[in-house]
Amino acid sequence: MIGFLRSFASRPSTLIGLLVFLSVVVIALIADWLYPGSPFRMVARPNLPPLSTGYLMGTDMLGRDLTAALVHGSRVTLSIAILATLLTVAIGTIIGAISGYYGAIVDDTAMRVTEFFQAIPSFLFAIVLVAVVSPSRLSIVLAIAIVSWPSVARLVRAEVLTLRTRDFVRAARVGGLSDMRILFSHILPNAMSPLLVSASVVMATAILIESGISFLGLGDRNAVSWGYLIGTGRTAVRINWWLSALPGFAIFLTVWSLNLVGDGLSTWLDPRKTETGRHP
Amino acid sequence: MSSGRIQFLLGRLLKSILVLLAVVVLNFTILRLAPGDPALILAGEQGAADAAFVDQIRKDFGLDRSVPEQLAVYIKSLATFDLGLSFRERRPIATIIGERLPATLILTLTAFALSLLIGIPLGALAARRPHGMVDVALTTVSTAFFAMPLFWTGLLAIIFFSVWLNWLPSYGMMTVGAPLSGLAAFLDLVKHLALPASTLALFYISIYLRITRAAVLDVMGSDYVRTARAIGLPPTRIWREHILRNALLPVITFASLQAGHLIGGSIVIETVFAWPGIGRLAFDALLQRDYNLLLSVFFVSSVVVMAFNFLADALYVLVDPRIEAGASA
Amino acid sequence: MFLAHALARLSSALAVLCCLTSLALAQKSGGTLNLIVQPEPQTINLGINRLGPTSFVGSKIYEGLITFTPKLEPKPALAESWSISPDGLTYTFNLRKGVTWHDGKPFTSADALFSFQKFLPAVFFRSKLVLSEAESITAPDEHTIVFKLKAPFPGFMQIFEATGGTIMPAHLYEGVTDFRNAPANQQFIGTGPFKVGEWRRGSFVRLVKNDNYWDKGKPYLKEIYFHIIPDANSRSIAFETGKVDVLRAGDVENFDISRLASEPGVELTEAGWEFLQPIGYLHLNNRRKPFSDVRARQAVAHAIDRKFIIETIFGGFGREINGPFYSSKPYRDASAETKYEFDVEKAKKLLDEAGLKPGPGGIRAEVELVPLPYGEMWQRQAEYVREALGAVGIKANIASVDVAGWSQRLTTFNYDIGHNFLYTFGDASIGINQTYLSVKGDNTGTTGGNVHGYSNAEVDDILVKAAHENDPETRAKLYSRFQQIVTKELPLLWTHEMVFPTVFRKKVRNLTLTGLGTNENFADVWIDQ
């Protein structure tokens, strides 16, 4: 484990990214312990600026504690992002794998479907979906997954296309293993590394999409996410800048750390590029 | 051109039309599932209504027919390139989109050009010495811009450049109330374009920087570059003739994929900067349940993307003889 | 002959000139007024749309027969004078002579007749409803229009201002039957002080001075720009940086209004909403448990601190209200109202009595709360109400809706608590009746209707009677009884009398002269350069 960390986090940027992301995860996990009770409670005078006694990051227009909201928000935001990522990767992997493995008409159909998603403006489509199903955490997760899976599917398809002609796959086929077995226990594990990298990007994008939806006023009103905080504070930037500045910063930090981790992952999983790529 | 190629292209065209049809049918259905009946909303805006009155509104707007019938009517009119009337404005949709499209194109194309012109060279620069100072600085900063929510970057830019420094206008596409023409009008446009275009560009620059960097590193590790190096070609020549040229291919592929999305505009940027483009139009149409208008935005943007794809395929067919056999691309 | 004619013209020109110069001492002509219209209107034809943005722009282009002073006395516009017969059955308007439409055609009684007989009833249900009170509408000569009513209807005068009784040009609609889709709707031809210059969609609407306006010497302004800026921060910045001169309520947060108003050279007014009389509503669904029980509804009234709503959520802009009538509405009777003070214990007791005992987690009932999707202040109010009800054991879940979804939920009784605000207009018969009269089925999209599903035969009877009662004393009695009943039965909760502040640069003069405020035609507005 230590060895893994040492080699994976050898780049300072990856290390920083990893530390930041892990601390966000930890904060999300212990949110209830840090700030017990609902973050929606009105606990103090409204509009207290940051660094007020007892309210490190100030309060909002209703007198709710922004620190508590940010801490609880990390949980909601991360859960939306993680769920959306899992769903995206699951749909993308299944469709990409099947279309790459079977080819022919299956592949053709799947590619038409991804073309469909390439043809329509994805953020707009996500917003339409959220508005149609009516905004909630679930509909936001679904919308993000629906507009994000095609890129994962393309990636997996490409990997499967190259892997399916390899000897070990041929051997498995000759050995009479079922298609599903070959696909899921032989081919996909070998496509894991690019998938991991793309998952980190999907997750970062999911956080950004959620915040964008909230910015436009279509977020879920029953859960404090960072996007929600920006959504509620966005009209008052000139008065209570901290209400949208701090959640915006939290999003920025998290997405940034995810990208740094993603970069680190891709370098670590595919060292060829950097080993041989070093310019003399 | 041989019949095989023509056949291939025709098949491709047919498939594109099928995808377009799917875009229309699916979006039409999704929108009809949305809560909120446009006729009732219109009735509500009047302050009062009765059933007969609502029926009249339905009839006036063609909402009295069944959904499949409406869909059939809609597709039929699309086939003749008639986008129909907007529910809310009672004006031809083609006119409405025509009013907004130039603004979106100006914004997105500028941002697109900026991001290519800056992102690619920076990406190449970063790749020259991976993990060197320049690389670390460039990737870190670009990742940072990639991580900022767009509206956030936009707001920061407005507060800094418009409010504090008072250098650039914060909203709109032109100085309202100043009848400018010629060069003055153009400069006015450039001033208004500066903030929204660079905000959007900053986001895309980081993408192109990363793609270019990865592509260059990929090519640098390839056999022929190693060979070129082994036979002692001068580094600058290897760099120019082998690495850059080959690394640009994936970048251009990605850029052509992006091109279609330029039509959809950026709802967020258009909102923050009051840019009168398609994205904002579509968003307002969604909120007002102006189905025809929203569908048309999807349709138009899909047509453009499909046209790009088809064009790319056609070029591909012309240069790549292997397609002759009719293999699927 | 020729000379005499020329002299006459010259002298009249001189007369006009002298008036203009004398006026110029007080009011200065010229200048551009920069406003914000938010959101962008779907049309600026006041004849076919009465939503806020259309009214704001369209009221400068189109006119009504009259307008109203802040005290709601009628004031001449396209009608020079009028008379109402003592029995309250005949309304005669004498129309102004020498008025022309923006396309140069003369305005006559034929236009007024067309508007009230054909156009308005076909396009607006509310106009159809009120105009059905008339037995006949006639035009005895080119400059007179007469309404004969079936029964007295004292609120009748209220429908003749520009946003309710828009006068449309008959000559553009000859042979037209489908008024809603008529191509002439896109021409924006009115009689008002401003004409349409240019409408650059998504950017601005430009109105220019109507040089042939009937009120000679007016308007003072050369042009008006309505900027279209979809984001609240950008609107605030546009005002700060001097790009626009006026911000209306809703353009920016109320907090921001106070901040901007404290800047030098900026003034704030609360005037201009006397005619519309907006009230904040918390609809309680009377057709569904738990709010089918009057005690549960009263408990809500005790559980919510309405002062907090005014002070904290609406930034201090608002006034207390305890009944259906706005404080300045005729026949308001404060002594008839039952008041519900903020008292959590009382609320709990009432809930106990209603049989809503605390269950696991102290939850007595779970309800669905539909917020008004008109911006952050309303969302915040919904969040406050959720917390306040939670404190007495009612768990409220906020539904996420956009305007379309909100309207559907409310008008089909698919909610428990619904937020809303309504213009209640000068006379009760116009703005109040439909919110309390029993309805069968749903409200066919009418968010201003009886969306709480209240039904009381006595109230139905009183409201219909009072609307057609010519004797003010009898009317007062009827309305007192009405206020007594509904404040006791509480079909909904009136949260506050809304105050809509307008901030503007001091150089803008005469901005809100009448009871219609910024929906007035702006013929009198001038800029002190």
Side-chain angles (χ1 to χ4, degrees):
Chain A
M1 189 63 196
I2 303 283
F4 157 75
L5 268 183
R6 189 165 292 159
S7 77
F8 171 51
S10 61
R11 302 166 69 191
S13 61
T14 314
L15 186 67
I16 293 171
L18 199 63
L19 285 179
V20 171
F21 185 67
L22 284 180
S23 22
V24 174
V25 171
V26 168
I27 288 175
L29 287 175
I30 61 169
D32 278 329
W33 179 75
L34 284 174
Y35 285 88
S38 160
F40 278 118
R41 278 176 314 143
M42 290 159 244
V43 291
R45 216 154 50 77
N47 304 321
L48 288 176
L51 303 179
S52 302
T53 26
Y55 302 98
L56 183 63
M57 302 193 191
T59 57
D60 75 356
M61 290 91 138
L62 289 178
R64 299 180 291 206
D65 184 355
L66 185 60
T67 325
L70 277 172
V71 166
H72 282 265
S74 66
R75 178 181 285 190
V76 177
T77 299
L78 281 187
S79 66
I80 289 178
I82 290 171
L83 278 179
T85 307
L86 287 178
L87 200 58
T88 305
V89 170
I91 302 174
T93 307
I94 291 172
I95 293 183
I98 290 177
S99 96
Y101 186 78
Y102 289 104
I105 183 94
V106 180
D107 186 31
D108 212 33
T109 317
M111 285 305 102
R112 287 297 87 71
V113 178
T114 53
E115 238 169 64
F116 167 90
F117 282 95
Q118 269 172 357
I120 50 180
S122 59
F123 185 63
L124 179 60
F125 191 59
I127 286 174
V128 168
L129 288 175
V130 169
V132 167
V133 189
S134 90
S136 68
R137 268 160 290 175
L138 182 67
S139 66
I140 292 172
V141 165
L142 287 177
I144 294 174
I146 287 173
V147 299
S148 310
W149 70 263
S151 65
V152 177
R154 285 192 159 247
L155 180 95
V156 172
R157 173 179 175 268
E159 288 292 319
V160 172
L161 276 180
T162 53
L163 287 171
R164 75 168 176 183
T165 50
R166 295 275 177 84
D167 291 339
F168 68 92
V169 175
R170 289 207 186 122
R173 210 174 274 154
V174 171
L177 287 183
S178 75
D179 285 349
M180 284 300 125
R181 184 86 188 270
I182 297 173
L183 201 47
F184 284 95
S185 51
H186 293 271
I187 297 183
L188 282 180
N190 284 295
M192 220 50 201
S193 38
L195 203 54
L196 260 176
V197 176
S198 103
S200 74
V201 175
V202 169
M203 191 160 161
T205 318
I207 296 177
L208 289 179
I209 295 180
E210 196 265 342
S211 74
I213 291 174
S214 297
F215 171 75
L216 292 170
L218 286 175
D220 185 342
R221 289 281 163 175
N222 288 304
V224 175
S225 71
W226 289 339
Y228 161 91
L229 291 174
I230 288 178
T232 57
R234 75 189 196 279
T235 48
V237 173
R238 302 288 292 131
I239 326 153
N240 303 343
W241 57 268
W242 59 92
L243 292 182
S244 43
L246 298 178
F249 190 67
I251 288 176
F252 160 68
L253 266 188
T254 312
V255 175
W256 195 23
S257 70
L258 269 171
N259 281 317
L260 292 179
V261 171
D263 283 352
L265 266 179
S266 67
T267 323
W268 181 65
L269 292 169
D270 190 7
R272 181 180 58 102
K273 280 177 195 166
T274 39
E275 295 295 312
T276 51
R278 203 153 279 161
H279 206 261
Chain B
M1 203 189 293
S2 73
S3 67
R5 289 179 183 190
I6 293 175
Q7 214 173 2
F8 171 77
L9 283 181
L10 277 180
R12 208 66 197 79
L13 191 64
L14 196 70
K15 282 172 189 165
S16 303
I17 291 174
L18 277 178
V19 171
L20 269 183
L21 202 64
V23 167
V24 172
V25 173
L26 190 81
N27 282 308
F28 191 92
T29 319
I30 288 174
L31 288 174
R32 293 304 149 124
L33 293 176
D37 174 344
L40 282 184
I41 297 164
L42 278 164
E45 285 170 0
Q46 317 245 322
D50 65 3
F53 201 78
V54 172
D55 284 347
Q56 184 58 46
I57 293 178
R58 287 224 167 84
K59 216 164 153 195
D60 289 353
F61 291 176
L63 291 164
D64 52 339
R65 307 179 196 212
S66 70
V67 173
E69 232 180 309
Q70 289 179 40
L71 178 61
V73 169
Y74 187 70
I75 291 176
K76 212 162 134 206
S77 61
L78 279 186
T80 57
F81 295 101
D82 175 11
L83 297 176
L85 285 185
S86 140
F87 282 154
R88 310 293 305 219
E89 294 192 31
R90 310 313 294 153
R91 294 193 305 138
I93 288 172
T95 314
I96 297 175
I97 291 185
E99 285 163 355
R100 298 296 194 94
L101 199 55
T104 289
L105 289 180
I106 289 173
L107 173 63
T108 49
L109 286 177
T110 310
F112 188 57
L114 276 178
S115 53
L116 285 179
L117 287 176
I118 299 174
I120 294 177
L122 286 185
L125 190 66
R128 285 200 80 144
R129 231 175 261 282
H131 307 299
M133 284 283 278
V134 178
D135 179 33
V136 170
L138 280 175
T139 42
T140 313
V141 170
S142 76
T143 317
F145 279 116
F146 185 63
M148 282 202 217
L150 268 181
F151 54 86
W152 183 235
T153 325
L155 275 175
L156 289 183
I158 288 178
I159 290 176
F160 193 70
F161 291 103
S162 300
V163 181
W164 287 357
L165 296 175
N166 203 9
W167 283 355
L168 293 164
S170 62
Y171 73 95
M173 210 179 145
M174 59 170 89
T175 305
V176 171
L180 300 170
S181 62
L183 186 65
F186 176 73
L187 289 177
D188 188 50
L189 175 66
V190 170
K191 264 166 85 177
H192 282 83
L193 190 58
L195 287 184
S198 26
T199 306
L200 201 54
L202 274 178
F203 184 76
Y204 285 110
I205 285 173
S206 55
I207 297 181
Y208 285 109
L209 190 153
R210 291 153 67 97
I211 292 177
T212 312
R213 180 181 176 275
V216 169
L217 288 181
D218 219 25
V219 178
M220 277 163 89
S222 65
D223 292 339
Y224 62 86
V225 171
R226 263 185 253 178
T227 317
R229 226 172 255 156
I231 60 171
L233 285 182
T236 40
R237 198 170 144 201
I238 302 178
W239 184 250
R240 213 176 43 233
E241 283 177 19
H242 296 272
I243 301 179
L244 271 190
R245 196 180 276 178
N246 286 296
L248 276 180
L249 279 173
V251 179
I252 286 168
T253 311
F254 182 80
S256 71
L257 277 177
Q258 285 297 109
H261 283 254
L262 299 178
I263 302 299
S266 166
I267 300 173
V268 168
I269 290 292
E270 288 178 12
T271 302
V272 171
F273 292 98
W275 193 264
I278 291 284
R280 190 65 212 178
L281 180 74
F283 186 63
D284 289 341
L286 169 67
L287 292 188
Q288 297 170 340
R289 297 293 186 269
D290 197 338
Y291 297 146
N292 283 359
L293 181 51
L294 186 52
L295 267 176
S296 301
V297 172
F298 278 127
F299 178 74
V300 169
S301 104
S302 309
V303 168
V304 174
V305 177
M306 304 309 293
F308 264 102
N309 286 357
F310 183 72
L311 216 66
D313 280 348
L315 284 174
Y316 209 68
V317 169
L318 288 180
V319 293
D320 191 344
R322 281 171 301 174
I323 304 270
E324 181 74 45
S328 105
Chain C
M1 177 62 198
F2 169 74
L3 191 66
H5 191 70
L7 269 177
R9 269 174 56 176
L10 186 65
S11 66
S12 73
L14 277 174
V16 169
L17 204 66
C18 103
C19 292
L20 276 180
T21 42
S22 75
L23 276 172
L25 290 176
Q27 283 106 354
K28 287 177 200 145
S29 281
T32 302
L33 182 64
N34 287 289
L35 306 169
I36 287 177
V37 61
Q38 155 58 29
E40 179 167 26
Q42 292 138 22
T43 176
I44 49 175
N45 187 330
L46 195 53
I48 53 167
N49 186 312
R50 286 176 187 170
L51 291 181
T54 308
S55 300
F56 185 37
V57 182
S59 54
K60 322 294 178 263
I61 305 166
Y62 297 88
E63 290 183 302
L65 295 183
I66 55 171
T67 179
F68 289 94
T69 66
K71 292 200 166 129
L72 298 184
E73 293 140 351
K75 202 181 150 201
L78 282 176
E80 260 175 338
S81 62
W82 52 88
S83 62
I84 305 167
S85 65
D87 59 5
L89 287 176
T90 310
Y91 287 66
T92 308
F93 292 90
N94 303 308
L95 306 182
R96 203 172 288 280
K97 297 184 179 88
V99 177
T100 54
W101 292 98
H102 292 164
D103 61 2
K105 297 276 185 332
F107 155 76
T108 67
S109 58
D111 296 307
L113 201 61
F114 164 73
S115 306
F116 291 110
Q117 260 180 348
K118 291 185 180 154
F119 193 93
L120 296 175
V123 176
F124 294 109
F125 186 76
R126 196 178 237 165
S127 301
K128 185 177 156 192
L129 217 59
V130 181
L131 287 165
S132 69
E133 298 282 341
E135 193 175 73
S136 72
I137 308 173
T138 51
D141 63 55
E142 282 227 312
H143 300 287
T144 313
I145 182 166
V146 180
F147 298 81
K148 281 218 160 51
L149 305 190
K150 296 170 191 156
F153 189 76
F156 201 58
M157 274 307 266
Q158 308 276 336
I159 68 162
F160 294 107
E161 50 76 45
T163 58
T166 317
I167 304 299
M168 297 295 288
H171 64 274
L172 291 181
Y173 293 90
E174 272 161 29
V176 173
T177 48
D178 179 2
F179 293 120
R180 206 172 275 118
N181 291 322
N185 290 345
Q186 305 295 337
Q187 290 187 37
F188 316 128
I189 300 290
T191 58
F194 295 93
K195 302 188 286 188
V196 177
E198 185 187 5
W199 183 357
R200 185 77 62 95
R201 312 270 165 168
S203 295
F204 62 85
V205 185
R206 174 171 169 252
L207 302 185
V208 295
K209 178 178 182 164
N210 172 9
D211 289 315
N212 296 318
Y213 189 53
W214 53 264
D215 200 351
K216 294 297 167 217
K218 288 179 190 172
Y220 301 116
L221 296 170
K222 186 170 95 25
E223 55 187 357
I224 304 178
Y225 278 97
F226 294 88
H227 299 232
I228 295 157
I229 309 175
D231 181 63
N233 288 306
S234 306
R235 291 195 287 273
S236 172
I237 289 167
F239 184 82
E240 263 183 287
T241 51
K243 299 281 192 311
V244 298
D245 307 313
V246 180
L247 284 180
R248 304 197 311 157
D251 285 348
V252 298
E253 288 262 356
N254 279 2
F255 296 100
D256 220 4
I257 293 253
S258 311
R259 178 182 68 97
L260 294 170
S262 65
E263 293 199 349
V266 175
E267 216 169 312
L268 181 146
T269 178
E270 298 183 356
W273 294 88
E274 296 84 1
F275 180 75
L276 290 179
Q277 307 188 347
I279 300 179
Y281 282 5
L282 206 61
H283 293 295
L284 301 167
N285 190 347
N286 289 220
R287 289 194 182 177
R288 198 151 102 177
K289 274 183 179 171
F291 300 124
S292 49
D293 189 317
V294 62
R295 288 166 296 192
R297 301 200 292 269
Q298 289 167 335
V300 170
H302 283 301
I304 290 170
D305 184 359
R306 283 171 282 162
K307 281 206 187 73
F308 181 88
I309 290 182
I310 295 170
E311 290 308 320
T312 305
I313 294 168
F314 289 91
F317 294 103
R319 285 182 292 264
E320 189 187 326
I321 189 170
N322 294 299
F325 280 30
Y326 199 84
S327 53
S328 62
K329 191 183 276 307
Y331 307 113
R332 172 164 182 257
D333 184 359
S335 67
E337 294 169 347
T338 307
K339 293 186 177 61
Y340 300 86
E341 72 283 12
F342 173 51
D343 186 336
V344 173
E345 290 315 310
K346 257 192 192 158
K348 287 182 182 161
K349 207 170 138 247
L350 279 162
L351 290 172
D352 282 335
E353 285 167 23
L356 298 166
K357 302 269 195 254
I363 294 171
R364 298 163 187 268
E366 198 163 336
V367 297
E368 198 169 19
L369 191 155
V370 178
L372 182 63
Y374 282 5
E376 287 310 313
M377 285 186 287
W378 292 102
Q379 296 289 357
R380 241 172 268 144
Q381 189 189 10
E383 280 165 22
Y384 165 70
V385 168
R386 174 182 61 195
E387 297 307 303
L389 292 181
V392 300
I394 299 175
K395 184 173 190 287
N397 301 311
I398 297 183
S400 296
V401 288
D402 56 12
V403 176
W406 166 79
S407 151
Q408 185 167 47
R409 288 290 200 103
L410 244 62
T411 58
T412 57
F413 299 105
N414 184 12
Y415 75 99
D416 293 302
I417 301 179
H419 291 252
N420 197 357
F421 83 90
L422 269 194
Y423 297 134
T424 57
F425 297 98
D427 193 90
S429 58
I430 307 284
I432 292 287
N433 275 22
Q434 60 169 347
T435 311
Y436 302 90
L437 286 173
S438 305
V439 284
K440 293 190 195 85
D442 67 26
N443 277 282
T444 51
T446 311
T447 51
N450 183 352
V451 299
H452 27 269
Y454 178 59
S455 179
N456 180 325
E458 192 188 349
V459 165
D460 291 350
D461 191 48
I462 291 174
L463 287 178
V464 174
K465 253 194 208 144
H468 298 96
E469 177 57 61
N470 209 27
D471 174 40
E473 260 176 57
T474 320
R475 256 195 128 191
K477 269 186 206 139
L478 288 167
Y479 279 132
S480 289
R481 175 80 184 125
F482 164 70
Q483 292 168 71
Q484 192 184 11
I485 298 173
V486 294
T487 55
K488 205 169 273 168
E489 298 194 334
L490 218 62
L492 76 161
L493 183 64
W494 308 276
T495 54
H496 60 305
E497 250 181 51
M498 303 195 57
V499 168
F500 288 147
T502 306
V503 279
F504 56 98
R505 307 214 164 265
K506 283 200 176 100
K507 63 174 186 180
V508 182
R509 302 298 175 91
N510 287 350
L511 189 64
T512 52
L513 282 184
T514 69
L516 282 103
T518 50
N519 283 345
E520 191 46 75
N521 66 17
F522 280 15
D524 291 296
V525 178
W526 59 285
I527 291 179
D528 196 0
Q529 269 129 348

